[in-house]
Amino acid sequence: MKYYRTVMSIIFSLILSQSVLSQQLVSVSATQLQPRSQAGYVFVIQTTQPLSPNSGFVIVFPQAFMLQNVKMGATKAFRGGVTVEVRGDTAIVRRTGLGDTAPAGDIDIFLASVINPPDMEQEFDFKITRLDGELPGTVVDTRIAIRQAQSR
C-alpha cells in the first residue's frame, strides 16, 4: 500500500510539473518585416521551470516561412550557447550541454536567416515544444502577430 501511494504521488508530481511547465508565454519579433526577405527571429519564451544544460526547444514555423538557410542560433539567457538543426518547417534548438542550469524566466532564442512569407500582414501559428532530456516535451501552441525587433 505504501508503495502504491509513493508511485501515485510521483505520477501526480510529474503531471503537476508538466502543467506548470505549460504555463509559458511567447513573443516573436523579426529584424525585417518585408515579405520574402531574410530576417533574424527572436523568440522570448517565459518559463516557470529552470532549463537544464541538456534541454532545448522545438519551434515549428507556419509552412509559409522558409528555413533552409537557418544555420545559426544564439541566446543571452545562459552560458554555453545553442545548436540549431532544421527539418523542413521545424527548428530544433538545443543547449550545448555546457553552462549551468538557466533559472526560470525569459529565455530568448535568436534564429538567423529565416525567409519571411509573402504575406506578413497576418497572425501566424507557431508550435513550441520544450525538450527536457528524458521528460516528455511541453507543447505551446500560440497564434501571434510578429512585431519589428528593436535594435540593440
Side-chain angles (χ1 to χ4, degrees):
M1 188 69 167
K2 188 175 182 179
Y3 175 75
Y4 177 76
R5 278 193 208 148
T6 303
V7 169
M8 293 308 290
S9 177
I10 291 171
I11 290 171
F12 179 74
S13 295
L14 287 173
I15 291 170
L16 182 61
S17 69
Q18 283 302 103
S19 67
V20 169
L21 285 173
S22 66
Q23 297 171 9
Q24 298 176 344
L25 301 175
V26 178
S27 67
V28 180
S29 57
T31 58
Q32 172 67 257
L33 293 178
Q34 293 288 43
R36 296 185 176 94
S37 295
Q38 187 167 287
Y41 274 75
V42 178
F43 292 82
V44 178
I45 304 164
Q46 187 181 58
T47 63
T48 57
Q49 296 291 313
L51 199 63
S52 75
N54 296 316
S55 58
F57 295 94
V58 175
I59 303 171
V60 179
F61 280 75
Q63 288 192 334
F65 290 81
M66 292 193 285
L67 305 180
Q68 68 266 21
N69 295 333
V70 176
K71 307 272 189 268
M72 184 187 87
T75 183
K76 294 186 289 184
F78 45 79
R79 290 189 198 157
V82 295
T83 61
V84 178
E85 178 184 350
V86 172
R87 295 182 190 162
D89 61 354
T90 303
I92 302 164
V93 182
R94 292 186 187 272
R95 290 193 62 187
T96 60
L98 304 173
D100 298 327
T101 296
D106 288 347
I107 304 293
D108 67 303
I109 298 172
F110 176 79
L111 296 175
S113 304
V114 175
I115 299 185
N116 291 333
D119 179 11
M120 290 294 291
E121 298 295 323
Q122 61 180 328
E123 291 186 335
F124 295 97
D125 291 317
F126 291 87
K127 182 176 180 180
I128 300 171
T129 305
R130 179 173 168 161
L131 302 174
D132 280 311
E134 300 301 316
L135 292 177
T138 301
V139 178
V140 177
D141 284 307
T142 185
R143 183 176 194 83
I144 50 180
I146 298 168
R147 60 182 173 81
Q148 181 76 36
Q150 302 295 317
S151 57
R152 298 179 188 199

